Amino acid sequence: QGLFESLTPKPLLILASAKEGETTLPFASIVHGLRQHLPSHLFQEVGSVWANQLSLILPELINLRDDIGEKEVEKPPFSRQRLFDSLYQLFVLASEKYGRILIFLDDAQWADYQTLQALSYLVSRGFFERKGLLIIAADIEYPQHDLQKIINQLRQTSTVETITLPAFNPEEM
């Protein structure tokens, strides 16, 4: 929290917390972050092509907009690519309106693989180089196979900095 408060200008914070019981729910962390922290008007302003794809993970968009519908959603094998592109377009729109975006994935050891892939896609598209900052926090005491796989892939093409912090005691929290 101290880091966020010290940033100037203050970025739009999207806190995407992973939960132990949701490791098999696709895009769970991103969905929580978008629903709780992204201003709702952005879902109405993003292009209908992108909103259609976003409705795969945010079905409430169908009720928010009259220009999208279930029948228009891209089906596999292209749906994942279109969904990642749609998330990218949504975050670009958010950064145009609010400046830099800080996406904080907390408890990433519990993150589902699709969330990690989507964040990796945003990194590969250069979103965080120009328009945002991605911070991933994980407890090293838990297995992190998917997270480590994504980090290893990102290290091949992007700058990834790993910081290991000592465990906090209750007074420090």
Side-chain angles (χ1 to χ4, degrees), residues 70-111:
E70 293 179 41
K71 63 183 177 298
E72 300 170 23
V73 172
E74 189 82 37
K75 302 296 184 217
F78 302 109
S79 60
R80 183 172 301 240
Q81 176 69 39
R82 284 287 190 111
L83 180 56
F84 289 172
D85 285 338
S86 299
L87 287 166
Y88 176 79
Q89 293 299 324
L90 180 64
F91 287 127
V92 166
L93 176 64
S95 70
E96 289 169 357
K97 301 279 184 181
Y98 294 96
R100 292 178 62 91
I101 309 293
L102 169 57
I103 300 176
F104 183 80
L105 177 60
D106 195 18
D107 290 325
Q109 72 274 8
W110 306 124

Side-chain angles (χ1 to χ4, degrees), residues 10 13 18-19 22 29 32 48 91 93 105 109 112 114 116 121 129 148 151-152 154:
K10 198 162 303 316
L13 173 64
K19 297 179 179 31
E22 297 179 345
S29 301
H32 292 314
S48 63
F91 287 127
L93 176 64
L105 177 60
Q109 72 274 8
D112 60 276
Q114 292 81 1
L116 296 172
Y121 180 80
E129 291 173 16
Q148 197 57 52
I151 289 172
N152 290 339
L154 289 174

